[in-house]
DNA sequence: CAGAACATACCAACCGGTCGGTATTTTCGT
DNA sequence: ACGAAAATACCGACCGGTTGGTATGTTCTG
């Protein structure tokens, strides 16, 4: 019979606490004591599982990559027949995720990298990897959409995939500044429109 | 005869130091002692001019608004005859600003708001004001461009102006993650292309 | 001399991290 | 199958340094 008060192990609870706390207050302002209190573990447990706070940050970035990787891998847009529809479906999916409070749908690694890109190289690299790996999941569909439309544009599938991430990261910043997700949804709509126009340059615009 | 080592007053030097330090390490990780050392003033001077660190943050956001406001007001794209050219000129100008090291061209308020939007309301508001005031400088030109082309789109000039800021903020995050400005420049190119297509929907695409 | 602009000394709270210790599980020779 | 040994998981008091902030001067300026 397992102990009642804590079902998951301390490490997993610390990582989950880190996701919410860091997205709420940032990496630097989140203290080890707060993490421990939120996870219901002691400081001894913290430094048993992570050799330092920075190591927790790196592990949190990797945990984030795994969680989001699973979420997007299971998303329904992958079953769409046309590659362009899958790309547009991804953007729609991102917009649909704008639910709840800001710390619940904003990006952990986008927050962390802003604070640590100069001072904690290992954390910067972990965040960069998380973003570029996620962007990479779009490249094949973008490339296939380009080929199916016979496009030979000045831009690359890779740069367009990264641009989608830039729009999303920026949309989160505006949402934090505004205190609401509306502005982020509007920006994602612009991204959606851009993708439509890129791949259907001669089609008439939809209105309303 | 004024003292040789310090020409400007302590307040101005503290604000200038805040711009660089906060953009380098974030708001929370920047300490009052570091600010004082970088500005060449003592702690007594700091708390003489700012009643708290948060107050320095708010003042830095306002200082940032004034500096960037002057920079963009004096930029050459304002003299272009066509409103769309002015909007595109703004985006080109933003791309041209991607010079030097990351802390020199990234956005102060975008960095600060990520860390403080939940914990320091006054700072969040100051950052939001800085961003929305800057975006507002684009709205008239966008509106004029819409009218001159007879566009009655589903989007508003306001939302498009905010979208440009989202792209820029997101481009900075990607640049910080990647350790270079190249990815930011690519994303700004996508933004430029979007604006071109929005206002010239039937024109043929340029290639190469 | 009045008051703004600084400087110096100091403080309590808090920070990340360490340390010696205990409880639990796993390993493994017999 | 069994128990010793070793590894793992966890605890919480403690540490030295740092934090934002204060109290009390001193100096410069009009």
């Amino acid at each position: 019979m397992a102990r009642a008060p804590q079902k998951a192990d301390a490490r997993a609870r610390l990582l989950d606490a880190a996701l919410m706390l860091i997205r709420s207050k940032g990496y630097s302002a989140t203290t080890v004591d707060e993490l421990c209190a939120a996870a219901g573990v002691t400081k001894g447990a913290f430094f048993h599982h992570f050799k330092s706070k920075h190591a927790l940050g790196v592990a949190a970035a990797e945990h984030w990559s795994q969680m989001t990787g699973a979420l997007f891998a299971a998303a329904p847009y992958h079953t769409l027949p046309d590659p362009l529809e899958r790309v547009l479906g991804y953007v729609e999916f991102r917009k649909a995720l704008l639910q709840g409070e800001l710390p619940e749908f904003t990006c952990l690694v986008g927050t962390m990298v802003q604070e640590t890109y100069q001072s904690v190289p290992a954390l910067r690299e972990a965040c960069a990897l998380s973003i570029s790996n996620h962007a990479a999941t779009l490249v094949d569909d973008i490339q296939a959409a380009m080929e199916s439309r016979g496009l030979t544009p000045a831009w690359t599938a890779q740069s367009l995939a990264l641009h989608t991430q830039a729009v999303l990261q920026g949309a989160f910043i505006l949402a934090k500044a505004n205190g609401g997700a509306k502005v982020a949804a509007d920006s994602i709509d612009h991204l959606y429109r851009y993708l439509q126009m890129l791949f259907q340059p001669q089609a008439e615009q939809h209105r309303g």
Side-chain angles (χ1 to χ4, degrees), chain A:
Chain A
M1 238 165 262
R3 293 259 202 82
Q6 40 210 50
K7 40 190 175 187
D9 65 322
R11 185 187 151 92
R13 288 211 312 285
L14 280 166
L15 288 175
D16 286 339
L19 294 198
M20 287 309 295
L21 274 173
I22 295 175
R23 287 191 289 176
S24 291
K25 350 191 337 170
Y27 174 78
S28 299
T30 299
T31 71
V32 173
D33 283 332
E34 282 173 336
L35 256 1
C36 293
V41 307
T42 61
K43 225 166 176 181
F46 183 100
F47 286 101
H48 171 73
H49 290 288
F50 308 100
K51 75 165 210 255
S52 68
K53 185 190 170 185
H54 290 340
L56 176 276
V58 172
E62 289 162 357
H63 181 54
W64 175 256
S65 287
Q66 277 187 290
M67 282 190 53
T68 56
L71 175 67
F72 287 101
Y77 61 84
H78 288 292
T79 65
L80 294 170
D82 182 60
L84 176 59
E85 282 180 37
R86 292 198 291 276
V87 175
L88 293 173
Y90 166 79
V91 176
E92 282 174 347
F93 187 63
R94 292 304 302 252
K95 187 181 173 184
L97 289 178
L98 301 176
Q99 298 295 328
E101 295 302 305
L102 280 156
E104 294 166 19
F105 63 75
T106 52
C107 176
L108 175 81
V109 296
T111 297
M112 282 201 295
V113 79
Q114 281 243 35
E115 298 178 63
T116 59
Y117 74 105
Q118 288 259 304
S119 40
V120 194
L123 196 39
R124 197 218 84 222
E125 283 160 31
C127 293
L129 199 66
S130 180
I131 293 175
S132 61
N133 279 350
H134 181 68
T137 66
L138 295 170
V139 170
D140 283 351
D141 282 341
I142 292 175
Q143 190 71 47
M146 288 163 67
E147 284 163 11
S148 77
R149 266 82 180 168
L151 296 187
T152 55
W155 43 272
T156 65
Q158 160 93 346
S159 86
L160 185 56
L162 288 171
H163 178 63
T164 65
Q165 300 310 297
V167 172
L168 289 161
Q169 294 290 348
F172 291 149
I173 289 191
L174 263 58
K176 288 171 183 173
N178 270 34
K182 171 70 165 64
V183 65
D186 287 349
S187 206
I188 293 176
D189 285 342
H190 280 289
L191 173 62
Y192 189 91
R193 200 173 292 112
Y194 176 50
L195 291 167
Q196 281 187 313
M197 294 172 77
L198 269 184
F199 289 94
Q200 303 164 353
Q202 306 302 349
E204 66 179 311
Q205 313 265 118
H206 83 285
R207 315 205 163 207

